[in-house]
Each structure stands twice: as structure tokens, then as C-alpha cells.
Amino acid sequence: MLYALICTDKPHSLQVRLDNRPAHIEFLKDLGDGLKAAGPFLDDDGNMTGSLVIIEASNRDEALAISQEDPYAKAGLFESVEIRPWNWAVKNPEA
């Protein structure tokens, strides 16, 4: 099953994001085929304010465990992380 990890950064935490970005990108790459899509949310000025990560996991607990291993999560960047089951209905390259 696919899960959307909807992550919102804490206010005024851009530097934490920038400092941990290389480790975060490596973490995402290491997910291999389990990572379906990922990218930052932006504010009106183009600054990163959160993340959307789409992963494949066997259940919500596994998705939660993966989200907690993200270097951004370990650095305390996120104000909140919402985990929602997601159905890739349009333009799914695996369908």
C-alpha cells in the first residue's frame, strides 16, 4: 500500500532543513523502489516549509517507522507528520 507522509516544518527552521538535507536525500535514495515520489512544500517566496514523501509500506506502522528514521525527523525539523494511505489513480507508471 502507498502512504503519503505530509510533513510540516516547525516555524523558523529553514537552517535545520538545509543542514540536514544531504542526509535526508541519501535516506530517500536508500529507500530504493519503496520511494515513489518526494519533494518539499514551498512558501510564496520559494522557501522550503515541509515535505511530501510517497512510500510503499505493508501497513501504517511500517510507514510510521520509516518516517521516524528520516534525518529530518531525527533532527526535530517537523512540527507535524501526517501519514495517510494514498491511491495513485492517475499517471501511475506502475499501473
Side-chain angles (χ1 to χ4, degrees), residues 11-33:
H12 314 293
S13 60
L14 181 58
Q15 193 59 53
V16 173
R17 176 175 277 275
L18 295 174
D19 291 346
N20 290 279
R21 188 167 172 77
H24 167 73
I25 296 298
E26 279 305 309
F27 169 77
L28 293 177
K29 288 179 182 178
D30 288 346
L31 292 176
D33 291 341

Side-chain angles (χ1 to χ4, degrees), residues 4-8 60 63-64 67-68 73 78-83:
L5 310 178
I6 304 165
C7 310
T8 303
R60 188 181 189 292
L64 175 62
S67 75
Q68 292 172 335
F78 299 134
E79 181 175 69
S80 66
V81 177
E82 184 178 356
I83 300 173

Side-chain angles (χ1 to χ4, degrees), residues 66-78:
I66 292 169
S67 75
Q68 292 172 335
E69 291 300 313
D70 187 325
Y72 281 165
K74 289 183 173 186
L77 174 63
F78 299 134

Side-chain angles (χ1 to χ4, degrees), residues 38-85:
F41 290 113
L42 306 174
D43 64 15
D44 291 338
D45 296 322
N47 296 310
M48 295 177 284
T49 62
S51 299
L52 173 62
V53 180
I54 308 293
I55 59 171
E56 187 169 18
S58 56
N59 55 51
R60 188 181 189 292
D61 289 341
E62 182 182 355
L64 175 62
I66 292 169
S67 75
Q68 292 172 335
E69 291 300 313
D70 187 325
Y72 281 165
K74 289 183 173 186
L77 174 63
F78 299 134
E79 181 175 69
S80 66
V81 177
E82 184 178 356
I83 300 173
R84 300 179 65 180

